[in-house]
Coordinates of all heavy atoms in Angstrom, one line a residue:
M1 N -11.2 38.6 0.6 CA -11.7 39.1 -0.6 C -12.9 38.3 -1.1 O -13.0 37.1 -1.0 CB -10.5 39.0 -1.7 CG -9.9 40.3 -1.9 SD -8.7 40.1 -3.3 CE -8.8 41.7 -3.9
S2 N -13.8 39.0 -1.8 CA -15.0 38.3 -2.3 C -14.7 37.8 -3.7 O -13.7 38.2 -4.3 CB -16.1 39.4 -2.4 OG -16.4 39.9 -1.1
E3 N -15.6 37.0 -4.2 CA -15.6 36.4 -5.5 C -15.7 37.5 -6.6 O -16.5 38.5 -6.4 CB -16.6 35.4 -5.7 CG -16.5 34.1 -5.0 CD -15.2 33.4 -5.4 OE1 -15.0 33.2 -6.6 OE2 -14.5 32.9 -4.5
P4 N -14.9 37.5 -7.6 CA -15.0 38.5 -8.7 C -16.4 38.5 -9.3 O -16.9 37.4 -9.6 CB -14.0 38.0 -9.7 CG -13.0 37.2 -9.0 CD -13.9 36.5 -7.9
D5 N -16.9 39.7 -9.5 CA -18.3 39.8 -10.2 C -18.2 40.9 -11.3 O -19.3 41.2 -11.8 CB -19.4 40.1 -9.1 CG -19.1 41.4 -8.4 OD1 -18.1 42.0 -8.6 OD2 -20.0 41.8 -7.7
M6 N -17.0 41.4 -11.6 CA -16.9 42.4 -12.6 C -15.5 42.4 -13.2 O -14.6 41.8 -12.6 CB -17.2 43.8 -12.1 CG -16.3 44.2 -10.9 SD -16.8 45.7 -10.1 CE -15.9 46.9 -11.1
E7 N -15.3 43.1 -14.3 CA -14.0 43.2 -14.9 C -13.8 44.7 -15.2 O -14.7 45.4 -15.7 CB -13.9 42.4 -16.2 CG -14.0 40.9 -16.0 CD -13.8 40.1 -17.2 OE1 -14.0 40.7 -18.4 OE2 -13.6 38.9 -17.1
L8 N -12.6 45.1 -14.9 CA -12.1 46.5 -15.2 C -10.8 46.5 -15.9 O -10.0 45.6 -15.6 CB -12.0 47.4 -13.9 CG -13.3 47.7 -13.2 CD1 -12.9 48.5 -11.9 CD2 -14.2 48.5 -14.1
W9 N -10.6 47.4 -16.8 CA -9.3 47.5 -17.5 C -8.3 48.4 -16.7 O -8.8 49.4 -16.2 CB -9.5 48.1 -18.9 CG -10.1 47.2 -19.9 CD1 -11.4 47.1 -20.2 CD2 -9.4 46.3 -20.7 NE1 -11.5 46.1 -21.2 CE2 -10.3 45.7 -21.5 CE3 -8.0 46.0 -20.9 CZ2 -9.9 44.7 -22.5 CZ3 -7.7 45.1 -21.8 CH2 -8.6 44.4 -22.6
D10 N -7.1 48.0 -16.6 CA -6.0 49.0 -16.2 C -5.8 49.9 -17.4 O -6.0 49.5 -18.6 CB -4.7 48.2 -15.9 CG -4.8 47.4 -14.6 OD1 -5.8 47.5 -13.9 OD2 -3.8 46.8 -14.3
L11 N -5.4 51.1 -17.1 CA -5.2 52.1 -18.2 C -3.8 52.7 -18.1 O -3.2 52.8 -17.1 CB -6.2 53.2 -18.1 CG -7.7 52.8 -18.1 CD1 -8.6 54.0 -17.8 CD2 -8.1 52.2 -19.4
R12 N -3.3 53.1 -19.3 CA -2.1 53.9 -19.4 C -2.4 55.2 -20.1 O -3.0 55.2 -21.1 CB -1.0 53.2 -20.2 CG 0.3 54.0 -20.3 CD 1.4 53.2 -21.0 NE 1.9 52.3 -20.0 CZ 3.1 51.7 -20.2 NH1 3.8 51.9 -21.3 NH2 3.6 50.9 -19.3
I13 N -2.0 56.3 -19.4 CA -2.2 57.7 -20.0 C -0.9 58.2 -20.4 O 0.0 58.4 -19.6 CB -2.9 58.6 -19.0 CG1 -4.3 58.1 -18.5 CG2 -3.1 60.0 -19.6 CD1 -4.2 57.3 -17.3
T14 N -0.7 58.3 -21.7 CA 0.7 58.6 -22.3 C 0.6 59.9 -23.0 O -0.3 60.2 -23.7 CB 1.0 57.5 -23.3 OG1 0.9 56.2 -22.7 CG2 2.4 57.7 -23.8
V15 N 1.7 60.7 -22.8 CA 1.8 61.9 -23.6 C 2.0 61.5 -25.1 O 3.1 60.9 -25.4 CB 3.0 62.8 -23.1 CG1 3.2 64.0 -24.0 CG2 2.7 63.2 -21.7
D16 N 1.1 61.9 -25.9 CA 1.1 61.5 -27.4 C 1.8 62.6 -28.2 O 2.5 62.2 -29.2 CB -0.3 61.3 -27.8 CG -0.4 60.6 -29.1 OD1 0.1 59.4 -29.2 OD2 -0.9 61.2 -30.1
S17 N 1.6 63.8 -27.9 CA 2.2 64.9 -28.7 C 2.2 66.2 -27.8 O 1.4 66.4 -26.9 CB 1.5 65.2 -30.0 OG 0.2 65.6 -29.7
I18 N 3.2 67.1 -28.1 CA 3.3 68.4 -27.5 C 3.6 69.3 -28.7 O 4.7 69.2 -29.3 CB 4.4 68.5 -26.4 CG1 4.1 67.5 -25.3 CG2 4.5 69.9 -25.9 CD1 5.2 67.4 -24.3
E19 N 2.7 70.2 -29.0 CA 2.9 71.2 -30.1 C 3.4 72.5 -29.6 O 3.8 73.4 -30.4 CB 1.6 71.3 -30.9 CG 1.3 70.0 -31.6 CD 0.0 70.2 -32.4 OE1 -0.6 71.3 -32.5 OE2 -0.4 69.1 -33.0
G20 N 3.4 72.8 -28.3 CA 3.9 74.0 -27.8 C 5.1 73.8 -26.9 O 5.9 72.8 -27.2
R21 N 5.3 74.6 -25.9 CA 6.4 74.4 -25.0 C 6.0 73.6 -23.8 O 4.9 73.8 -23.3 CB 7.1 75.6 -24.6 CG 6.3 76.5 -23.7 CD 7.0 77.9 -23.4 NE 6.2 78.7 -22.6 CZ 6.3 78.8 -21.2 NH1 7.3 78.2 -20.6 NH2 5.5 79.6 -20.5
S22 N 6.8 72.7 -23.3 CA 6.4 71.8 -22.2 C 6.6 72.5 -20.9 O 7.7 72.5 -20.3 CB 7.3 70.5 -22.2 OG 6.8 69.7 -21.2
V23 N 5.5 73.2 -20.5 CA 5.6 74.0 -19.3 C 5.8 73.1 -18.0 O 6.6 73.5 -17.1 CB 4.2 74.7 -19.1 CG1 4.2 75.5 -17.8 CG2 4.0 75.6 -20.3
C24 N 5.3 71.9 -18.0 CA 5.4 71.1 -16.8 C 6.5 70.1 -16.9 O 6.7 69.3 -15.9 CB 4.1 70.3 -16.6 SG 3.7 69.2 -17.9
G25 N 7.3 70.1 -17.9 CA 8.5 69.2 -18.0 C 8.2 67.8 -18.5 O 9.1 67.0 -18.5
L26 N 7.0 67.6 -19.0 CA 6.7 66.3 -19.6 C 7.2 66.2 -21.0 O 7.4 67.2 -21.7 CB 5.2 66.0 -19.6 CG 4.5 65.7 -18.2 CD1 3.0 65.6 -18.4 CD2 5.1 64.5 -17.6
A27 N 7.4 65.0 -21.5 CA 7.9 64.8 -22.9 C 7.1 63.7 -23.5 O 6.4 62.9 -22.8 CB 9.4 64.3 -22.9
V28 N 7.0 63.7 -24.8 CA 6.3 62.6 -25.5 C 6.8 61.3 -25.0 O 8.0 61.0 -24.9 CB 6.5 62.8 -27.1 CG1 5.9 61.6 -27.8 CG2 5.9 64.1 -27.6
G29 N 5.9 60.4 -24.7 CA 6.2 59.1 -24.2 C 6.1 58.9 -22.7 O 5.9 57.8 -22.2
D30 N 6.1 60.1 -22.0 CA 5.9 60.0 -20.5 C 4.5 59.5 -20.2 O 3.5 59.7 -21.0 CB 6.1 61.4 -19.9 CG 7.5 61.8 -19.8 OD1 8.4 61.0 -20.0 OD2 7.7 63.0 -19.5
Y31 N 4.3 58.7 -19.1 CA 3.0 58.1 -18.8 C 2.8 58.0 -17.4 O 3.7 58.1 -16.6 CB 2.9 56.8 -19.6 CG 3.8 55.7 -19.0 CD1 3.4 54.9 -18.0 CD2 5.1 55.6 -19.5 CE1 4.3 53.9 -17.5 CE2 6.0 54.6 -19.0 CZ 5.5 53.8 -18.0 OH 6.4 52.8 -17.5
I32 N 1.6 57.7 -17.1 CA 1.1 57.3 -15.7 C 0.1 56.1 -16.0 O -0.6 56.1 -17.0 CB 0.4 58.5 -14.9 CG1 0.2 58.1 -13.5 CG2 -0.8 59.0 -15.6 CD1 -0.2 59.3 -12.6
E33 N 0.1 55.2 -15.0 CA -0.8 54.1 -15.1 C -1.9 54.1 -14.0 O -1.6 54.4 -12.9 CB -0.1 52.7 -15.1 CG 0.9 52.6 -16.3 CD 1.7 51.3 -16.3 OE1 2.2 51.0 -15.1 OE2 1.8 50.7 -17.3
L34 N -3.1 53.7 -14.3 CA -4.2 53.5 -13.4 C -4.4 52.0 -13.4 O -4.7 51.3 -14.4 CB -5.4 54.2 -13.9 CG -6.7 54.0 -13.1 CD1 -6.6 54.4 -11.7 CD2 -7.9 54.7 -13.8
T35 N -4.2 51.4 -12.2 CA -4.3 49.9 -12.0 C -5.2 49.6 -10.9 O -5.5 50.4 -10.0 CB -2.9 49.3 -11.8 OG1 -2.4 49.7 -10.5 CG2 -1.9 49.6 -12.8
H36 N -5.7 48.4 -10.9 CA -6.6 47.8 -9.8 C -7.7 48.8 -9.4 O -8.0 49.1 -8.3 CB -5.7 47.5 -8.6 CG -4.7 46.5 -8.8 ND1 -3.5 46.7 -9.3 CD2 -4.8 45.1 -8.6 CE1 -2.8 45.6 -9.4 NE2 -3.6 44.6 -9.0
S37 N -8.3 49.4 -10.4 CA -9.4 50.3 -10.3 C -9.1 51.7 -9.8 O -9.6 52.7 -10.4 CB -10.5 49.8 -9.3 OG -11.5 50.6 -9.0
S38 N -8.1 51.9 -8.9 CA -7.9 53.2 -8.3 C -6.4 53.6 -8.0 O -6.2 54.6 -7.4 CB -8.8 53.4 -7.1 OG -8.4 52.4 -6.1
R39 N -5.5 52.7 -8.4 CA -4.1 53.0 -8.0 C -3.4 53.7 -9.1 O -3.4 53.2 -10.2 CB -3.4 51.7 -7.7 CG -4.0 50.9 -6.5 CD -3.3 49.6 -6.3 NE -4.0 48.8 -5.4 CZ -3.7 47.5 -5.2 NH1 -2.7 46.9 -5.8 NH2 -4.5 46.8 -4.3
L40 N -2.7 54.7 -8.8 CA -1.9 55.5 -9.8 C -0.4 55.0 -9.6 O 0.1 55.0 -8.5 CB -2.0 57.0 -9.6 CG -3.3 57.6 -10.0 CD1 -3.3 59.0 -9.7 CD2 -3.7 57.3 -11.4
R41 N 0.2 54.7 -10.8 CA 1.6 54.3 -10.7 C 2.4 55.1 -11.8 O 2.0 55.1 -12.9 CB 1.6 52.8 -11.0 CG 3.1 52.2 -10.9 CD 3.1 50.7 -11.0 NE 2.4 50.2 -12.1 CZ 1.9 49.0 -12.2 NH1 2.1 48.2 -11.2 NH2 1.3 48.6 -13.3
L42 N 3.5 55.6 -11.3 CA 4.5 56.2 -12.2 C 5.7 55.3 -12.5 O 6.1 54.5 -11.5 CB 5.0 57.5 -11.6 CG 4.0 58.6 -11.4 CD1 4.5 59.7 -10.5 CD2 3.8 59.3 -12.8
P43 N 6.4 55.4 -13.6 CA 7.6 54.7 -13.7 C 8.6 55.2 -12.8 O 8.5 56.4 -12.4 CB 8.0 54.9 -15.2 CG 7.2 56.1 -15.6 CD 6.0 56.2 -14.8
P44 N 9.6 54.5 -12.4 CA 10.7 54.9 -11.5 C 11.3 56.3 -12.0 O 11.7 56.4 -13.1 CB 11.7 53.8 -11.5 CG 11.0 52.6 -11.9 CD 9.9 53.1 -12.8
G45 N 11.3 57.2 -11.1 CA 11.9 58.5 -11.4 C 11.0 59.4 -12.2 O 11.4 60.6 -12.5
G46 N 9.8 58.9 -12.6 CA 8.9 59.7 -13.4 C 8.0 60.7 -12.7 O 8.0 60.7 -11.4
H47 N 7.4 61.6 -13.4 CA 6.4 62.5 -12.8 C 5.3 62.7 -13.8 O 5.5 62.3 -15.0 CB 7.1 63.8 -12.4 CG 7.4 64.7 -13.6 ND1 8.4 64.5 -14.5 CD2 6.7 65.8 -14.1 CE1 8.4 65.5 -15.4 NE2 7.3 66.2 -15.2
F48 N 4.2 63.3 -13.4 CA 3.1 63.6 -14.3 C 2.4 64.8 -13.8 O 2.3 65.0 -12.6 CB 2.1 62.4 -14.4 CG 1.5 62.3 -15.8 CD1 2.1 61.7 -16.8 CD2 0.2 62.9 -16.0 CE1 1.5 61.6 -18.1 CE2 -0.4 62.9 -17.2 CZ 0.2 62.2 -18.2
C49 N 2.0 65.7 -14.7 CA 1.4 66.9 -14.4 C 0.0 66.7 -13.8 O -0.8 66.0 -14.4 CB 1.3 67.8 -15.6 SG 0.4 69.4 -15.3
L50 N -0.3 67.2 -12.6 CA -1.6 67.1 -12.0 C -2.7 67.7 -12.8 O -3.8 67.1 -12.9 CB -1.5 67.8 -10.6 CG -2.8 67.8 -9.8 CD1 -3.2 66.4 -9.4 CD2 -2.7 68.7 -8.6
Y51 N -2.5 68.8 -13.5 CA -3.5 69.4 -14.3 C -3.8 68.6 -15.6 O -4.9 68.5 -16.0 CB -3.1 70.9 -14.6 CG -2.9 71.6 -13.4 CD1 -1.6 72.0 -12.9 CD2 -4.0 72.0 -12.5 CE1 -1.4 72.6 -11.7 CE2 -3.8 72.7 -11.4 CZ -2.5 73.0 -11.0 OH -2.3 73.6 -9.8
A52 N -2.8 68.0 -16.2 CA -3.0 67.2 -17.3 C -3.8 66.0 -16.9 O -4.7 65.5 -17.6 CB -1.6 66.7 -18.0
L53 N -3.4 65.3 -15.8 CA -4.2 64.2 -15.3 C -5.6 64.6 -15.0 O -6.5 63.8 -15.3 CB -3.5 63.6 -14.0 CG -4.2 62.4 -13.4 CD1 -4.3 61.3 -14.4 CD2 -3.4 62.0 -12.1
A54 N -5.8 65.8 -14.4 CA -7.2 66.2 -14.1 C -8.1 66.3 -15.4 O -9.3 66.0 -15.3 CB -7.2 67.5 -13.4
A55 N -7.4 66.7 -16.5 CA -8.2 66.7 -17.7 C -8.6 65.4 -18.2 O -9.7 65.2 -18.8 CB -7.3 67.4 -18.8
A56 N -7.9 64.3 -17.9 CA -8.2 63.0 -18.4 C -9.1 62.3 -17.4 O -9.9 61.4 -17.8 CB -6.9 62.2 -18.5
M57 N -9.1 62.6 -16.1 CA -9.8 61.9 -15.1 C -11.3 61.7 -15.4 O -11.8 60.6 -15.1 CB -9.6 62.5 -13.7 CG -8.2 62.2 -13.2 SD -7.9 62.7 -11.5 CE -9.0 61.5 -10.7
P58 N -12.1 62.6 -15.9 CA -13.5 62.3 -16.1 C -13.8 61.2 -17.1 O -14.8 60.5 -17.0 CB -14.0 63.7 -16.7 CG -13.1 64.7 -16.2 CD -11.8 64.0 -16.2
L59 N -12.8 60.9 -18.0 CA -13.0 59.8 -18.9 C -12.6 58.4 -18.4 O -13.0 57.4 -18.9 CB -12.2 60.1 -20.2 CG -12.6 61.4 -20.9 CD1 -11.6 61.6 -22.1 CD2 -14.0 61.3 -21.4
L60 N -11.8 58.4 -17.4 CA -11.1 57.1 -17.0 C -12.1 56.1 -16.5 O -12.0 54.9 -16.8 CB -10.0 57.4 -15.9 CG -8.9 58.3 -16.4 CD1 -7.8 58.4 -15.4 CD2 -8.3 57.8 -17.8
P61 N -13.1 56.4 -15.6 CA -14.0 55.4 -15.2 C -14.8 54.7 -16.4 O -15.0 53.5 -16.3 CB -15.0 56.1 -14.3 CG -14.3 57.3 -13.8 CD -13.4 57.7 -14.9
A62 N -15.1 55.4 -17.4 CA -15.8 54.8 -18.5 C -14.8 54.0 -19.3 O -15.1 52.9 -19.8 CB -16.4 55.8 -19.4
K63 N -13.5 54.5 -19.5 CA -12.5 53.7 -20.3 C -12.2 52.4 -19.5 O -11.7 51.5 -20.2 CB -11.3 54.6 -20.5 CG -11.5 55.8 -21.4 CD -11.9 55.4 -22.8 CE -10.8 55.1 -23.6 NZ -11.2 54.8 -25.0
Q64 N -12.4 52.3 -18.2 CA -12.0 51.1 -17.5 C -13.0 50.0 -17.8 O -12.7 48.8 -17.6 CB -12.0 51.4 -16.0 CG -10.9 52.2 -15.5 CD -11.0 52.4 -14.0 OE1 -11.9 53.0 -13.5 NE2 -10.0 52.0 -13.3
R65 N -14.1 50.3 -18.3 CA -15.2 49.3 -18.6 C -15.2 48.9 -20.0 O -14.8 49.6 -20.9 CB -16.5 49.9 -18.2 CG -16.7 49.9 -16.7 CD -17.6 51.0 -16.2 NE -17.8 51.0 -14.8 CZ -16.9 51.5 -13.9 NH1 -15.8 52.0 -14.3 NH2 -17.1 51.4 -12.6
Q66 N -15.7 47.7 -20.3 CA -16.0 47.3 -21.6 C -17.2 47.9 -22.1 O -18.3 47.7 -21.6 CB -16.1 45.7 -21.7 CG -16.2 45.2 -23.1 CD -14.9 45.5 -23.8 OE1 -13.8 45.2 -23.3 NE2 -15.0 46.0 -25.0
L67 N -17.1 48.8 -23.1 CA -18.2 49.5 -23.7 C -18.7 48.8 -24.9 O -18.0 48.0 -25.5 CB -17.7 50.9 -24.0 CG -17.2 51.8 -22.9 CD1 -16.6 53.0 -23.4 CD2 -18.3 52.1 -21.9
P68 N -20.0 49.1 -25.2 CA -20.6 48.4 -26.4 C -19.8 48.8 -27.7 O -19.2 49.9 -27.8 CB -22.0 49.0 -26.5 CG -22.3 49.5 -25.2 CD -20.9 49.9 -24.6
E69 N -19.7 47.8 -28.6 CA -19.0 48.1 -29.9 C -19.7 49.2 -30.6 O -20.9 49.3 -30.6 CB -19.0 46.8 -30.7 CG -18.2 46.9 -32.0 CD -18.2 45.7 -32.8 OE1 -18.2 44.6 -32.2 OE2 -18.2 45.7 -34.0
G70 N -18.9 50.1 -31.1 CA -19.5 51.3 -31.8 C -19.7 52.5 -30.9 O -20.0 53.6 -31.3
D71 N -19.6 52.3 -29.6 CA -19.7 53.5 -28.6 C -18.6 54.5 -28.9 O -17.4 54.1 -29.1 CB -19.6 52.9 -27.2 CG -19.9 54.0 -26.2 OD1 -19.1 55.0 -26.1 OD2 -20.9 53.9 -25.4
W72 N -18.9 55.7 -29.0 CA -17.9 56.8 -29.3 C -16.7 56.7 -28.4 O -15.6 57.0 -28.8 CB -18.5 58.2 -29.4 CG -18.9 58.7 -28.0 CD1 -20.0 58.6 -27.4 CD2 -18.0 59.5 -27.2 NE1 -20.0 59.2 -26.1 CE2 -18.7 59.8 -26.0 CE3 -16.7 60.0 -27.3 CZ2 -18.2 60.5 -24.9 CZ3 -16.2 60.7 -26.2 CH2 -16.9 60.9 -25.1
L73 N -16.9 56.4 -27.1 CA -15.8 56.5 -26.2 C -14.9 55.2 -26.3 O -13.8 55.2 -25.9 CB -16.4 56.5 -24.7 CG -15.4 56.9 -23.7 CD1 -14.6 58.2 -24.0 CD2 -16.1 57.0 -22.3
E74 N -15.4 54.2 -26.9 CA -14.6 53.0 -27.2 C -13.6 53.4 -28.3 O -12.5 52.9 -28.3 CB -15.5 51.8 -27.6 CG -14.8 50.5 -27.7 CD -14.2 50.0 -26.4 OE1 -14.8 50.3 -25.3 OE2 -13.2 49.3 -26.4
R75 N -14.0 54.2 -29.2 CA -13.1 54.7 -30.3 C -12.2 55.8 -29.9 O -11.1 55.9 -30.4 CB -13.9 55.0 -31.6 CG -14.7 53.9 -32.1 CD -15.4 54.3 -33.4 NE -16.1 55.6 -33.3 CZ -17.4 55.7 -33.0 NH1 -18.1 54.7 -32.8 NH2 -17.9 56.9 -33.0
D76 N -12.7 56.8 -29.2 CA -12.0 58.0 -28.8 C -11.1 57.8 -27.7 O -11.5 57.3 -26.6 CB -13.0 59.1 -28.5 CG -12.5 60.5 -28.6 OD1 -11.3 60.6 -28.9 OD2 -13.2 61.4 -28.4
C77 N -9.8 58.1 -27.8 CA -8.8 57.9 -26.8 C -7.9 59.1 -26.5 O -7.0 58.9 -25.7 CB -8.0 56.6 -27.1 SG -7.0 56.8 -28.6
L78 N -8.1 60.2 -27.1 CA -7.3 61.3 -27.0 C -7.9 62.4 -26.0 O -9.1 62.7 -26.1 CB -7.0 62.0 -28.3 CG -6.3 61.1 -29.3 CD1 -6.1 61.8 -30.7 CD2 -5.0 60.5 -28.8
V79 N -7.0 63.0 -25.2 CA -7.4 64.0 -24.3 C -6.4 65.2 -24.3 O -5.2 64.9 -24.4 CB -7.4 63.5 -22.8 CG1 -7.9 64.6 -21.8 CG2 -8.3 62.2 -22.7
S80 N -6.9 66.4 -24.3 CA -6.0 67.5 -24.4 C -5.7 68.1 -23.0 O -6.7 68.2 -22.2 CB -6.6 68.7 -25.2 OG -6.7 68.3 -26.5
C81 N -4.5 68.5 -22.7 CA -4.2 69.2 -21.5 C -4.8 70.6 -21.6 O -4.8 71.2 -22.6 CB -2.6 69.3 -21.4 SG -2.1 70.3 -20.0
P82 N -5.2 71.1 -20.4 CA -5.9 72.5 -20.5 C -4.9 73.6 -20.6 O -5.4 74.8 -20.8 CB -6.6 72.5 -19.1 CG -5.8 71.6 -18.2 CD -5.3 70.5 -19.1
D83 N -3.6 73.4 -20.5 CA -2.6 74.5 -20.7 C -2.5 74.9 -22.1 O -1.9 74.1 -22.9 CB -1.3 74.1 -20.0 CG -0.4 75.3 -19.9 OD1 -0.4 76.2 -20.8 OD2 0.4 75.3 -18.9
P84 N -2.9 76.1 -22.5 CA -2.8 76.5 -23.9 C -1.4 76.7 -24.4 O -1.1 76.6 -25.6 CB -3.5 77.8 -23.9 CG -3.5 78.4 -22.6 CD -3.5 77.2 -21.7
E85 N -0.4 76.9 -23.5 CA 1.0 77.1 -23.9 C 1.6 75.7 -24.4 O 2.5 75.7 -25.2 CB 1.8 77.6 -22.7 CG 1.6 79.0 -22.4 CD 2.1 79.9 -23.4 OE1 3.3 79.7 -23.9 OE2 1.5 80.9 -23.8
E86 N 1.1 74.6 -23.9 CA 1.7 73.3 -24.2 C 1.1 72.7 -25.4 O 1.8 72.0 -26.2 CB 1.5 72.3 -23.0 CG 2.4 72.7 -21.9 CD 2.4 71.6 -20.8 OE1 1.4 71.3 -20.2 OE2 3.5 71.0 -20.6
R87 N -0.3 72.8 -25.6 CA -1.0 72.1 -26.6 C -0.6 70.6 -26.6 O -0.2 70.0 -27.6 CB -0.8 72.7 -28.0 CG -1.3 74.2 -28.0 CD -1.3 74.8 -29.4 NE 0.0 74.8 -30.0 CZ 1.0 75.7 -29.7 NH1 0.8 76.6 -28.8 NH2 2.1 75.7 -30.4
M88 N -0.6 70.0 -25.4 CA -0.3 68.6 -25.2 C -1.5 67.7 -25.4 O -2.6 68.0 -24.9 CB 0.3 68.4 -23.8 CG 0.7 67.0 -23.5 SD 1.6 66.8 -22.0 CE 0.3 67.0 -20.8
V89 N -1.3 66.6 -26.0 CA -2.4 65.6 -26.2 C -1.9 64.3 -25.6 O -0.8 63.9 -25.7 CB -2.7 65.4 -27.7 CG1 -3.7 64.3 -27.9 CG2 -3.2 66.7 -28.3
M90 N -2.8 63.7 -24.8 CA -2.6 62.4 -24.1 C -3.4 61.3 -24.8 O -4.5 61.6 -25.2 CB -2.8 62.5 -22.6 CG -2.0 63.5 -21.9 SD -2.7 64.0 -20.3 CE -4.1 65.0 -20.8
R91 N -2.9 60.1 -24.8 CA -3.6 59.0 -25.3 C -3.9 58.0 -24.1 O -3.0 57.7 -23.3 CB -2.8 58.2 -26.3 CG -3.4 57.0 -27.0 CD -2.6 56.4 -28.1 NE -2.3 57.4 -29.1 CZ -3.1 57.6 -30.1 NH1 -4.2 56.9 -30.2 NH2 -2.8 58.5 -31.1
V92 N -5.2 57.6 -24.0 CA -5.6 56.6 -23.0 C -5.7 55.3 -23.6 O -6.5 55.1 -24.6 CB -6.9 57.0 -22.3 CG1 -7.4 56.1 -21.3 CG2 -6.8 58.4 -21.8
T93 N -4.9 54.3 -23.1 CA -5.0 52.9 -23.7 C -5.3 51.9 -22.6 O -4.9 52.1 -21.5 CB -3.7 52.6 -24.4 OG1 -2.6 52.7 -23.5 CG2 -3.5 53.4 -25.7
K94 N -6.0 50.9 -23.0 CA -6.3 49.8 -22.1 C -5.1 48.8 -22.1 O -4.6 48.6 -23.1 CB -7.6 49.0 -22.5 CG -8.8 49.9 -22.4 CD -10.0 49.2 -23.0 CE -11.3 50.0 -22.8 NZ -12.5 49.4 -23.3
T95 N -4.7 48.3 -20.9 CA -3.6 47.5 -20.8 C -3.9 46.1 -20.3 O -3.7 45.1 -21.0 CB -2.5 48.1 -19.9 OG1 -3.0 48.3 -18.6 CG2 -1.9 49.4 -20.6
V96 N -4.4 45.9 -19.1 CA -4.7 44.6 -18.6 C -6.2 44.6 -18.1 O -6.6 45.5 -17.4 CB -3.8 44.3 -17.3 CG1 -4.1 43.0 -16.6 CG2 -2.3 44.3 -17.8
R97 N -6.9 43.6 -18.4 CA -8.3 43.4 -17.9 C -8.3 42.5 -16.7 O -7.7 41.4 -16.6 CB -9.1 42.7 -19.0 CG -10.5 42.8 -18.8 CD -11.3 42.2 -20.0 NE -12.7 42.5 -19.9 CZ -13.5 42.3 -20.8 NH1 -13.1 41.8 -22.0 NH2 -14.8 42.5 -20.7
R98 N -8.8 43.1 -15.6 CA -8.8 42.4 -14.3 C -10.2 42.0 -13.8 O -11.1 42.8 -13.9 CB -8.2 43.4 -13.2 CG -6.8 43.8 -13.5 CD -6.2 44.6 -12.3 NE -4.9 45.0 -12.6 CZ -3.8 44.3 -12.4 NH1 -3.9 43.1 -11.9 NH2 -2.6 44.8 -12.7
K99 N -10.3 40.8 -13.3 CA -11.5 40.4 -12.6 C -11.4 40.9 -11.2 O -10.4 40.7 -10.5 CB -11.6 38.9 -12.6 CG -11.8 38.3 -14.0 CD -11.9 36.8 -13.9 CE -12.0 36.2 -15.3 NZ -13.3 36.1 -15.8
M100 N -12.5 41.6 -10.8 CA -12.5 42.3 -9.5 C -13.9 42.0 -8.8 O -14.9 41.7 -9.5 CB -12.2 43.8 -9.6 CG -10.9 44.0 -10.3 SD -10.5 45.7 -10.4 CE -9.8 45.9 -8.8
S101 N -13.9 42.2 -7.5 CA -15.1 42.2 -6.7 C -15.6 43.6 -6.4 O -14.9 44.4 -5.8 CB -14.9 41.4 -5.4 OG -15.9 41.6 -4.5
S102 N -16.9 43.9 -6.8 CA -17.4 45.2 -6.5 C -17.6 45.4 -5.0 O -17.4 46.5 -4.5 CB -18.7 45.4 -7.2 OG -19.7 44.3 -6.8
F103 N -17.7 44.3 -4.2 CA -17.8 44.4 -2.8 C -16.5 45.0 -2.2 O -16.5 45.8 -1.3 CB -18.1 43.1 -2.2 CG -18.2 43.1 -0.7 CD1 -19.4 43.5 0.0 CD2 -17.1 42.7 0.1 CE1 -19.4 43.6 1.4 CE2 -17.2 42.7 1.5 CZ -18.3 43.1 2.1
D104 N -15.4 44.6 -2.8 CA -14.1 45.0 -2.3 C -13.7 46.4 -2.7 O -12.8 47.0 -2.1 CB -13.0 44.1 -2.8 CG -13.1 42.6 -2.2 OD1 -13.6 42.5 -1.1 OD2 -12.7 41.7 -2.9
L105 N -14.5 47.0 -3.6 CA -14.1 48.3 -4.1 C -15.0 49.4 -3.5 O -14.7 50.6 -3.7 CB -14.2 48.3 -5.6 CG -13.3 47.4 -6.4 CD1 -13.6 47.4 -7.8 CD2 -11.8 47.8 -6.1
T106 N -16.2 49.0 -2.9 CA -17.1 50.1 -2.4 C -17.2 50.0 -0.9 O -16.8 49.1 -0.3 CB -18.5 49.9 -3.1 OG1 -18.9 48.5 -2.7 CG2 -18.5 50.1 -4.5

């Protein structure tokens, strides 16, 4: 492993609210974690909808980084699932800041 030259946040994507019917079987509080830049982790026995995760994925690389204070993405943390029957909203939160080597990731 090379010397750390960057820092990335681990993230937790949590079901924040469901205003419709839960088509995929998720409930408020269910979550998935993104750790070590690219590893997805579920709690034991848990599951997460692929389509809900796909809606959040474009934001995750930016949320992993420390953004300038006042940046809109630093303040905005909610993502909607694309399924109109569910009207599910997920919250993306930073959990652990890790020192990493860009050489080891590319």
